[in-house]
Amino acid sequence: MRPRAMSRAILAVPLLAVAAITLLPLWAMIATALQDTTSVRLSVGWEDVDLGNVIELFTRFGFGPALLTSIVVTLLACLMNIVVCSLAAYGFSIHRFRGSETLFWAYLATMMIPTQVTIIPLLLIMRELHLTGTYFSLAVPAVGAFGVFLIRQFSASLPYEVFEAARLDGAGPLQTFRHIYLPLVRPALGSLTIFTFISVWNDFLWPLVSLSDNTLQTVTLAAAMLPGRFTTDFGLVMAGAAVSMGVPVLAYLALQKQFLRGIAVTGSQR
Amino acid sequence: MAFATSRSLRRAPENGARCTARARRRNGHPLLGLGLIAPSFVILVLVAVAPIAYAVYLSFTNYSILGGGRFTGVDNYERIAGDPSFWAALRNTLVFTLVTVPTQTALALLIAAVLARVFRPAFRRIVQSALFLPAIVAAVTAGTIWRVMLATDGGTVNELLTALGLPDVDWLGQTTTAGLSVCIVIVWKNVGYFLVIYQAAVLSVPEEQYEAASLDGAGGWRSFRHITLPALRPVTFLVLVLGTIWSFQTFDLVYTLTGGGPGTATSTLVYLVYTTGLEQLDMGYASAIAFVLLLVILCFAVIQRRIVSGGER
């Protein structure tokens, strides 16, 4: 064996072991979810498969409406983020006004503040506005300065002549936005959609806090609230985990390239 | 993200040079600009600016949903100083950060470098996809899965230990192992994310540098130390900053994995804010704790920014 092939073979073993250990809990989740069991299983044969856990989620624990809520809220958050942030980024990069740079700095400063710190006042404000328990209130905290920052930084690399040419061709500023700016920043919009999707779908603290006094729930919240913290109904708990992560995992498997590029971009965006 | 900000802003003048001020005056409509920004401004005030101002105010009151709201000066902050559950939560948060951030950074860096330098794209993709999957799993769900994995009665980890002839461990029931469990889950969840960031960066290091090094007789380890590591320095800082910020926000996985226990062994600052403000409804005091958390995060951000700008000079 040539030295390169040798070192490859030697290094492949620990790497594959790490990959296997990483996937083990997810595999155990699926194997356990599909069986009527009180202990974690690592193997599942066709004859053991029992969809009782999954059926129970939908019949007893409201996973149907919860899934629907998660889908609506996530779509709403992505849509709001794209519209609101691309408009603002267009304003910040093309239609500047006195103080717009300072304002942009203020936007960036808000990115430093984690939502966990402001969760209590946010809850009190939403209550005061009678917005708690609405799709809007679940989606809106995802809209922030990050999207504006992402799109504006992306559009900073665009040639300004394009916008000049559009003006000379008689395009109005809103036409320019729709037909030139938006198509050009599409990759940034893609990354923003993926980040928003994952963070809203997986959010736990805000739904937990703001949905405490009514029946609406997201699927991530519903899965976390399944009984089993002090019991050993492992099959049911693992089924809840599997169903709640189904949509993001399928989205990832379908759009792997876009997911990985979106994340790599944050790494090279500095 | 804090770090991401400073550099990109430094890039801005370059763009400003291309589109002259005159061109901007001809093309830009300042009034329209205000209108374009208005929707995002309103939302930002609603979800960030007003809450932070309100948090500061609340932290000086004894407000609770049940009543109160009297201005109490710095009482809450004095109470924090003498509150053992605060110090426990702060200590746990710091310990989790100091254990997980270096571990996950080193692992991600090492795996990325080996994958990129030694393996073909197909193998690379397999390992990367496997390691990235936990990054998509909600932290709260990760806590649930691992609570089951680490359970004493029928949990996978203990069954594997038994199969190896080793004694069972009550992972989540003892102070040290419960903390260790939280760290394991954090690392499990984060390594793949940072691996993706590192992988892209390693692959962008020019191949010629490695060729020149190997002509000079440098082996794998030496070219890692002298080429890969320095080239990845900016990315490493990003990974450290992101990892630190995330670690300070740890709540979800503790909620389902350990419930902060045993006792206060795995309680974190955000967990304490939650139990104080939303279970005991002591919102004034919880806001003060949240505010201290914010100050800790800002301190870390400033220190890291210092190190970064020092490192780049």
Side-chain angles (χ1 to χ4, degrees), chain A residues 4 8 22 40 93 95 105 107-108 112 114 121 127 153 156 160 164 167 202 229 237 252 256 263 270, chain B residues 5 8-9 15 19 24 26-27 29 40 65 117-118 120 129 131-132 136 144 154 156 188 249 255 259:
Chain A
R4 198 174 174 95
R8 239 183 232 159
T22 305
V40 186
S93 50
H95 300 289
W105 269 97
Y107 268 52
L108 295 181
M112 295 284 302
R127 276 215 183 128
Q153 286 322 116
Y160 195 72
E164 183 97 54
R167 188 186 62 92
N202 286 348
R229 193 153 170 175
V237 169
Y252 164 64
Q256 237 184 85
I263 287 155
R270 292 138 309 102
Chain B
T5 318
S8 4
L9 275 178
N15 176 50
C19 38
R24 262 195 204 292
R26 257 184 288 132
N27 282 328
H29 299 265
S40 77
I65 278 217
R117 295 299 309 152
V118 183
R120 295 204 180 89
S129 300
L131 293 191
F132 182 75
I136 298 183
T144 304
T156 309
W188 175 77
Q249 299 174 359
Y255 184 94

Side-chain angles (χ1 to χ4, degrees), chain B residues 57-137:
Chain B
Y57 166 75
L58 283 177
S59 74
F60 292 105
T61 70
N62 61 358
Y63 181 87
S64 146
I65 278 217
L66 309 173
R70 205 162 36 81
F71 187 78
T72 53
V74 293
D75 281 9
N76 286 330
Y77 291 95
E78 278 176 13
R79 198 174 138 197
I80 285 177
D83 182 352
S85 59
F86 168 79
W87 292 107
L90 178 65
R91 197 201 58 222
N92 294 337
T93 307
L94 290 174
V95 169
F96 292 159
T97 306
L98 291 176
V99 172
T100 61
V101 172
T103 310
Q104 71 201 12
T105 307
L107 269 175
L109 171 61
L110 205 66
I111 297 173
V114 170
L115 279 179
R117 295 299 309 152
V118 183
F119 290 97
R120 295 204 180 89
F123 185 85
R124 227 187 270 157
R125 265 200 297 277
I126 293 171
V127 174
Q128 187 175 278
S129 300
L131 293 191
F132 182 75
L133 214 50
I136 298 183
V137 177

Side-chain angles (χ1 to χ4, degrees), chain A residues 130-170:
Chain A
H130 299 288
L131 285 172
T132 42
T134 61
Y135 293 136
F136 176 79
S137 84
L138 286 172
V140 76
V143 183
F146 174 65
V148 181
F149 166 74
L150 196 71
I151 301 168
R152 195 195 106 129
Q153 286 322 116
F154 188 85
S155 66
S157 62
L158 303 174
Y160 195 72
E161 292 79 28
V162 181
F163 301 103
E164 183 97 54
R167 188 186 62 92
L168 293 176
D169 285 347

Side-chain angles (χ1 to χ4, degrees), chain A residues 113-135:
Chain A
I113 301 161
T115 49
Q116 289 88 340
V117 170
T118 51
I119 203 100
I120 290 172
L122 184 63
L123 174 68
L124 299 177
I125 290 171
M126 289 289 190
R127 276 215 183 128
E128 215 45 52
L129 297 172
H130 299 288
L131 285 172
T132 42
T134 61
Y135 293 136

